[in-house]
């Protein structure tokens, strides 16, 4: 019985196998004989990318953009192409979501056929591109914010950053591109990009890092050309102002010359200073800078020197940051945060040199310089946040903190600009002291320029410390551990004594009573703006936003409050009448003692010959 079943099973399996072979043969016979379909190469590079930027109705604040993307053949085009808008501008470390200003997006192929598209992320437009050779996208960007990192269009001018205006094709940031500008009326075009021959108002960028690093000014601007360090430079000035153009040029040449002396090289073919006499601030670029200041910001001399400091800061960035690049700062990821611990070098170090260069150029005296540094130290010492955040932490968290200051920032943050400048000064003094003046931070800057930029390398925090130690001829790990990675109080006089200086502390307010809150008066309302930790206001429960209406039944103004408190002693009690959340309150308040100190630099009693020599090396003046 078992043998019979086994034989029948074998016959059944054989029949099944034969049937399967028959089906496979039939399937092969019925297959079409057409040629195989060519599949597009994914993420294939376009052959050409170009933009046209128009401004036909400037009063609407809408810049009009046409983007053309071309491929050599249909089989070089991926089925879907992603157009993307950057979310931030290098040099300003905050995600700003420029895509929010985009409107009227439409896209066609080169024949005018409408292409399907969809939004896939906040800054991504995905377009169906199977079988085409050209994509033509049009859109408008609302531009009504004048800062050095954003865009403005009105009936006076157009200023824009390409990061806030022009899309890129995903994965194609290394491609070249051209930008044609169609100016309004009689306006002219200025940018650091080179012009395309025989094509008016058309400019070319070798890649998107350069394109996105080249702002535009379009207006009936004033242009002042000059030569410095053997290279052509120019000011492009939009707006009226109380500036003296010849003096501004002469002083700018001095700044350029002193900067070039540090590095011994001019790394650009030409340079453009774009100046708008509204707004405020500056932003660095490879061969240009955007500067903004009040039209009355050039007089008196104290304001003018402040503006020259801005010029020196942004020009120094042509070396420090734009070429000597801290770790992740270039090439850039334009869609995400680019984290670094070195913004204190990038910005604080640049701020240090901007003021030192003014001294070297004869545009600021050594006494003025020391007065400013003492004021900076005083501001830092009155900031409780110095115990909460290190320079490296401040640099790393710039994306979430520095550009989003709130009422508690004084208590939990420091500025990598302000403390960075102070620590950089102390670092320079440490190097000068350790080498007896044979070396300085200038040698570190030159090493970063030659050994990193010239070798096409970015530098890390470890690289920077190592270069400083080479110049000093000894370990500086204790310095970096305390003042860069750590939050220790700075031993100012340990460094200032190198050049025969002493940081003097004076308790000029000792014995005087105070509330301890930072107050602001606007339209007759006296409001608490911030409250530093450890002050009477902080300890006794005053809140940011409280409006102080009266003190001891007397109507409060800024002037009256200060004079009234000046007649009191620490420990005296007053009655504050405030509005909090639109409800009136009475607070019995005990005045505290104002122990905050004033700071100033002075020379040591009997400076040595070495101290006098090192002082003169640093500040180009005799120690007095």
């Amino acid at each position: 019985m078992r043998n019979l079943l086994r034989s029948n099973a074998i016959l059944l399996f054989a029949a099944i196998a034969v049937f399967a072979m028959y089906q496979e043969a039939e399937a092969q016979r019925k297959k079409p004989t057409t040629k195989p379909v060519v599949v597009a190469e994914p993420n294939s590079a376009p052959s050409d990318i170009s933009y046209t930027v128009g401004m036909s109705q400037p009063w609407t604040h809408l810049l009009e953009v046409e983007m053309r993307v071309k491929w050599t053949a249909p089989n070089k085009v991926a089925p879907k192409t992603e157009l993307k808008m950057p979310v931030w501008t290098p040099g300003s470390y905050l995600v700003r979501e420029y895509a929010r200003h985009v409107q009227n997006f439409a896209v066609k192929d080169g024949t005018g056929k409408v292409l399907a598209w969809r939004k896939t992320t906040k800054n991504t437009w995905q377009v169906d591109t199977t079988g085409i050779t050209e994509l033509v996208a049009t859109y408008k960007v609302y531009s009504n914010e004048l800062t050095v990192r954003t865009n403005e269009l009105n009936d006076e001018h157009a200023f824009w950053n390409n990061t806030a205006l022009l899309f890129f094709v995903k994965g194609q940031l290394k491609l070249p591109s051209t930008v044609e500008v169609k100016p309004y009326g009689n306006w002219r075009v200025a940018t650091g990009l080179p012009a395309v021959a025989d094509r008016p108002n058309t400019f070319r960028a070798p890649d998107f890092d350069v394109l996105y690093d080249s702002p535009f000014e379009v207006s009936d601007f004033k242009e002042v050309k000059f030569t410095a360090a053997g290279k052509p430079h120019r000011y492009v000035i939009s707006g009226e102002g109380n500036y003296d153009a010849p003096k501004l040029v002469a002083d700018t040449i001095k700044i350029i010359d002193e900067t070039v002396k540090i590095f011994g090289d001019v790394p650009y073919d030409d340079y453009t200073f774009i100046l708008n006499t509204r707004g405020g601030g500056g932003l660095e670029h490879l061969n240009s800078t955007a500067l903004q200041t009040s039209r009355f910001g050039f007089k008196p001399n104290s304001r003018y020197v402040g503006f020259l400091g801005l010029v020196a800061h942004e020009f120094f960035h042509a070396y420090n940051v734009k070429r000597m690049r801290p770790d992740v700062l270039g090439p850039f990821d334009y869609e995400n945060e680019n984290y670094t611990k070195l913004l204190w070098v990038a910005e604080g170090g640049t701020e240090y040199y901007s003021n030192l260069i003014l001294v070297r150029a004869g545009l600021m005296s050594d006494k003025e310089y020391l007065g400013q540094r003492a004021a900076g130290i005083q501001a830092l010492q009155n900031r409780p946040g110095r115990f909460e955040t290190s320079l490296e932490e401040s640099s790393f968290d710039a994306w979430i903190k520095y550009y989003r200051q709130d009422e508690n920032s004084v208590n939990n943050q420091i500025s990598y600009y302000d403390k960075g400048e102070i620590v950089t000064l102390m670092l320079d003094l440490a190097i000068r002291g350790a080498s007896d003046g044979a070396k300085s931070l200038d040698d570190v800057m030159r090493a970063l320029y030659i050994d990193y930029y010239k070798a096409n390398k970015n530098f890390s925090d470890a690289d920077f410390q190592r270069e400083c130690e080479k110049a000093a001829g000894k370990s500086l790990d204790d310095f970096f551990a305390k003042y860069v990675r750590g939050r220790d109080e700075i031993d100012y006089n340990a460094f200032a004594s190198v050049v025969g200086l002493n940081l003097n502390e004076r308790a000029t307010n000792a014995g005087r009573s105070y509330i301890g809150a930072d107050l602001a008066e606007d339209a007759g309302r006296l409001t608490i703006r911030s409250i530093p930790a450890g002050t009477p206001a902080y300890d006794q429960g005053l809140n940011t936003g409280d409006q102080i209406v009266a003190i001891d039944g007397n109507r409060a103004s800024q002037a009256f409050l200060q004079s009234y408190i000046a007649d009191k002693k620490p420990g005296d009690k007053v009655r504050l009448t405030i509005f909090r959340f639109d409800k009136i309150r009475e607070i019995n308040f005990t005045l505290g003692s104002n122990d905050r100190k004033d700071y100033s630099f002075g020379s040591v009693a009997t400076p040595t010959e070495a101290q006098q020599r090192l002082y003169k090396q640093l500040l180009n003046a005799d120690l007095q």
Side-chain angles (χ1 to χ4, degrees):
M1 185 68 171
R2 290 177 63 185
N3 289 338
L4 179 59
L5 290 173
R6 187 175 185 182
S7 299
N8 288 339
I10 292 172
L11 290 172
L12 177 61
F13 288 134
I16 292 172
V18 170
F19 182 72
M21 292 173 62
Y22 172 80
Q23 283 189 317
E24 175 66 20
E26 281 295 291
Q28 292 292 332
R29 185 177 64 82
K30 291 179 180 179
K31 274 189 174 180
T33 57
T34 55
K35 294 181 179 179
V37 176
V38 176
V39 179
E41 178 185 345
N43 298 321
S44 54
S47 59
D48 184 74
I49 297 178
S50 62
Y51 303 88
T52 302
V53 180
M55 52 205 75
S56 62
Q57 296 178 303
W59 52 89
T60 67
H61 313 298
L62 291 171
L63 287 166
E64 304 144 0
V65 182
E66 179 187 84
M67 177 185 189
R68 288 182 174 266
V69 184
K70 295 181 180 180
W71 290 266
T72 55
N75 67 344
K76 290 292 184 182
V77 187
K80 299 183 187 304
T81 297
E82 291 185 345
L83 306 180
K84 290 177 169 286
M85 172 77 84
V87 304
W88 71 290
T89 298
S92 183
Y93 307 99
L94 178 68
V95 171
R96 298 183 185 276
E97 311 294 19
Y98 296 126
R100 64 195 171 99
H101 293 306
V102 174
Q103 64 184 66
N104 303 110
F105 180 85
V107 63
K108 301 178 180 180
D109 69 5
T111 68
K113 177 184 174 182
V114 174
L115 300 177
W117 64 274
R118 64 211 56 82
K119 196 86 178 285
T120 57
T121 70
K122 63 182 180 181
N123 66 317
T124 304
W125 287 255
Q126 186 188 76
V127 182
D128 293 343
T129 50
T130 299
I132 71 170
T133 57
E134 185 176 16
L135 176 157
V136 184
T138 57
Y139 58 96
K140 297 178 181 179
V141 176
Y142 186 72
S143 306
N144 196 27
E145 182 182 6
L146 182 61
T147 72
V148 294
R149 54 195 170 263
T150 53
N151 309 333
E152 182 180 71
L153 171 65
N154 54 36
D155 60 2
E156 293 184 348
H157 82 137
F159 171 82
W160 71 81
N161 286 274
N162 289 322
T163 45
L165 185 69
L166 303 181
F167 291 167
F168 66 92
V169 178
K170 179 183 178 181
Q172 305 302 334
L173 290 171
K174 294 186 181 299
L175 290 180
S177 61
T178 58
V179 180
E180 179 186 359
V181 179
K182 294 184 176 180
Y184 179 76
N186 66 341
W187 291 356
R188 291 166 292 137
V189 183
T191 181
L193 289 174
V196 177
D198 303 321
R199 293 179 60 185
N201 296 324
T202 303
F203 307 87
R204 187 166 185 81
D207 57 50
F208 276 76
D209 281 328
V210 174
L211 176 71
Y212 285 153
D213 193 57
S214 304
F216 278 74
E217 172 68 27
V218 184
S219 66
D220 186 21
F221 51 75
K222 179 175 182 177
E223 184 176 38
V224 184
K225 297 181 178 180
F226 60 98
T227 299
K231 297 290 180 72
H233 296 70
R234 62 173 173 164
Y235 267 98
V236 170
I237 307 174
S238 184
E240 299 297 322
N242 61 351
Y243 58 85
D244 179 335
K247 179 173 175 55
L248 177 58
V249 166
D251 291 341
T252 300
I253 291 173
K254 294 176 184 177
I255 289 169
I256 293 169
D257 287 344
E258 289 300 327
T259 304
V260 171
K261 284 180 185 177
I262 296 171
F263 300 98
D265 185 38
V266 183
Y268 51 80
D269 294 325
D270 54 68
Y271 196 93
T272 298
F273 295 89
I274 297 174
L275 172 58
N276 274 283
T277 57
R278 286 192 300 114
L283 192 63
E284 68 273 9
H285 302 284
L286 276 168
N287 71 329
S288 65
T289 182
L291 306 170
Q292 294 173 7
T293 192
S294 163
R295 62 194 179 104
F296 301 113
F298 305 91
K299 294 178 183 178
N301 191 63
S302 58
R303 282 190 177 184
Y304 177 61
V305 172
F307 174 73
L308 290 180
L310 177 65
V311 173
H313 181 104
E314 302 307 333
F315 183 75
F316 195 83
H317 270 318
Y319 296 88
N320 190 28
V321 173
K322 297 316 299 180
R323 288 174 173 85
M324 300 139 51
R325 298 185 305 226
D327 42 38
V328 302
L329 297 186
F332 297 101
D333 178 350
Y334 294 100
E335 295 188 80
N336 298 286
E337 294 87 345
N338 293 220
Y339 293 103
T340 177
K341 296 177 181 178
L342 285 165
L343 290 184
W344 75 273
V345 177
E347 296 296 352
T350 296
E351 184 64 8
Y352 169 64
Y353 268 103
S354 68
N355 290 301
L356 194 61
I357 283 168
L358 293 186
V359 175
R360 293 177 180 180
L363 301 170
M364 180 191 293
S365 72
D366 60 323
K367 299 305 180 187
E368 289 172 321
Y369 175 85
L370 292 174
Q372 288 186 7
R373 304 295 73 72
I377 289 171
Q378 182 169 318
L380 177 63
Q381 293 303 115
N382 288 329
R383 192 175 183 93
R386 73 187 187 278
F387 297 118
E388 301 296 326
T389 302
S390 72
L391 276 175
E392 285 195 347
E393 290 167 337
S394 176
S395 299
F396 192 85
D397 280 342
W399 298 92
I400 58 173
K401 291 186 176 181
Y402 181 76
Y403 294 93
R404 290 173 172 162
Q405 301 282 313
D406 59 33
E407 67 278 4
N408 194 46
S409 295
V410 67
N411 294 320
N412 67 5
Q413 298 176 37
I414 51 93
S415 164
Y416 52 79
Y417 279 88
D418 299 340
K419 186 175 181 181
E421 178 186 15
I422 293 168
V423 170
T424 302
L425 168 59
M426 301 304 146
L427 179 59
D428 194 5
L429 292 173
I431 294 171
R432 291 171 184 268
S435 66
D436 193 31
K439 299 287 185 180
S440 72
L441 198 64
D442 288 8
D443 296 280
V444 177
M445 293 292 114
R446 276 192 295 274
L448 294 176
Y449 184 75
I450 295 169
D451 297 337
Y452 291 85
Y453 163 61
K454 291 287 190 179
N456 197 30
K457 297 189 302 183
N458 292 14
F459 65 90
S460 68
D461 50 339
D463 294 327
F464 182 75
Q465 180 175 336
R466 183 167 52 252
E467 293 302 329
C468 290
E469 290 174 338
K470 285 181 183 177
K474 70 172 190 176
S475 171
L476 295 173
D477 196 60
D478 184 62
F479 181 98
F480 280 84
K482 287 181 176 179
Y483 308 133
V484 176
R485 297 185 289 273
R487 308 163 193 167
D488 290 29
E489 284 279 48
I490 301 172
D491 186 356
Y492 297 105
N493 282 326
F495 303 104
S497 63
V498 168
V499 290
L501 292 175
N502 188 64
L503 183 66
N504 302 309
E505 300 179 8
R506 288 194 308 158
T508 54
N509 297 306
R512 296 183 181 179
S513 60
Y514 83 135
I515 290 175
D518 179 19
L519 304 176
E521 190 169 22
D522 183 33
R525 294 185 175 187
L526 184 61
T527 306
I528 296 178
R529 184 164 51 190
S530 66
I531 304 177
T535 61
Y538 189 91
D539 294 336
Q540 296 179 56
L542 291 181
N543 287 356
T544 299
D546 286 350
Q547 180 190 345
I548 301 178
V549 179
I551 180 168
D552 286 341
N554 302 295
R555 183 177 179 179
S557 66
Q558 181 83 280
F560 176 79
L561 186 72
Q562 298 304 327
S563 64
Y564 188 84
I565 291 174
D567 288 335
K568 302 288 184 181
K569 299 187 297 297
D572 285 352
K573 297 183 183 298
V574 296
R575 188 176 76 258
L576 296 177
T577 306
I578 68 168
F579 273 118
R580 180 180 295 170
F581 306 132
D582 295 327
K583 291 183 179 181
I584 200 162
R585 297 191 183 194
E586 298 282 344
I587 296 178
N588 293 318
F589 191 89
T590 302
L591 297 173
S593 177
N594 189 350
D595 297 324
R596 291 180 296 184
K597 297 180 176 66
D598 292 334
Y599 294 83
S600 62
F601 279 107
S603 62
V604 297
T606 54
T608 66
E609 183 180 331
Q611 287 173 323
Q612 294 180 63
R613 172 171 48 83
L614 292 177
Y615 182 93
K616 188 158 190 174
Q617 284 181 359
L618 176 68
L619 295 176
N620 198 29
D622 293 325
L623 178 62
Q624 297 178 352

